């Protein structure tokens, strides 16, 4: 989940990979991390959104999509619940305190570039190794 945090959570696949049933996996995960897999993933996505709001010149809607939320309302509610601020208020508070803002096109390329590859296309590193 830490590697593919922007992807939809397929809890059945993750539980099967861990050789647990779905419900046993949720209980074991909560016992180890103190939150359900869905709560953990939402927290990680909001952390990524905080980073992008501080450093990238992207709209809140673009950041919402990049970090894996399909609804701006859900993103804003989750963001405010975790940080105490709306995404726009968070940006207003922190922009200028961090390093220079990264142009949005670079951030989109970095975060969205993986999904832009055509299905079945080879990874750039695997092509270079051949």
């Amino acid at each position: 989940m830490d590697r593919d945090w922007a992807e939809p959570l397929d809890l059945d696949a993750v539980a099967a990979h861990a050789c647990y049933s779905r419900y046993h996996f949720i209980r074991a995960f909560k016992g180890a991390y103190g939150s359900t897999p869905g709560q953990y993933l939402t927290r990680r996505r909001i952390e990524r959104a905080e980073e992008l709001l501080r450093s990238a010149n992207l709209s809140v809607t673009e950041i919402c999509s990049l970090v894996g939320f399909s609804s701006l309302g859900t993103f804003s509610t989750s963001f405010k619940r975790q940080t105490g601020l709306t995404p726009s208020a968070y940006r207003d508070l922190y922009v200028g305190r961090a390093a220079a803002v990264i142009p949005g096109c670079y951030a989109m390329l970095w975060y969205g570039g993986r999904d832009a590859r055509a299905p079945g296309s080879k990874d750039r590193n695997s092509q270079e190794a051949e």
Side-chain angles (χ1 to χ4, degrees):
M1 289 193 315
D2 283 332
R3 186 182 63 214
D4 296 325
W5 48 267
E7 301 296 322
L9 177 62
D10 184 354
L11 198 51
D12 291 326
V14 174
H17 187 73
C19 300
Y20 285 136
S21 72
R22 176 188 178 100
Y23 300 105
H24 184 69
F25 178 76
I26 292 171
R27 283 192 301 272
F29 191 95
K30 189 169 183 172
Y33 293 99
S35 61
T36 65
Q39 292 167 335
Y40 177 84
L41 185 59
T42 297
R43 189 173 68 240
R44 299 290 294 158
R45 287 175 173 171
I46 296 298
E47 289 169 358
R48 298 289 183 184
E50 288 178 63
E51 179 184 322
L52 287 171
L53 285 165
R54 285 190 310 262
S55 63
N57 186 16
L58 295 169
S59 70
V60 171
T61 303
E62 290 170 328
I63 291 173
C64 166
S65 295
L66 284 176
V67 299
F69 284 89
S70 58
S71 163
L72 184 59
T74 302
F75 170 68
S76 295
T77 301
S78 299
F79 192 93
K80 187 170 184 176
R81 186 181 311 122
Q82 185 167 321
T83 65
L85 298 169
T86 64
S88 298
Y90 183 89
R91 171 175 275 162
D92 291 344
L93 184 63
Y94 287 102
V95 164
R97 293 183 179 185
V101 176
I102 299 169
C105 58
Y106 286 110
M108 291 287 278
L109 180 65
W110 177 255
Y111 284 99
R114 286 185 338 175
D115 297 333
R117 277 187 269 150
S121 66
K122 291 184 176 180
D123 183 47
R124 188 173 132 195
N125 290 335
S126 66
Q127 289 177 339
E128 292 173 355
E130 292 178 357

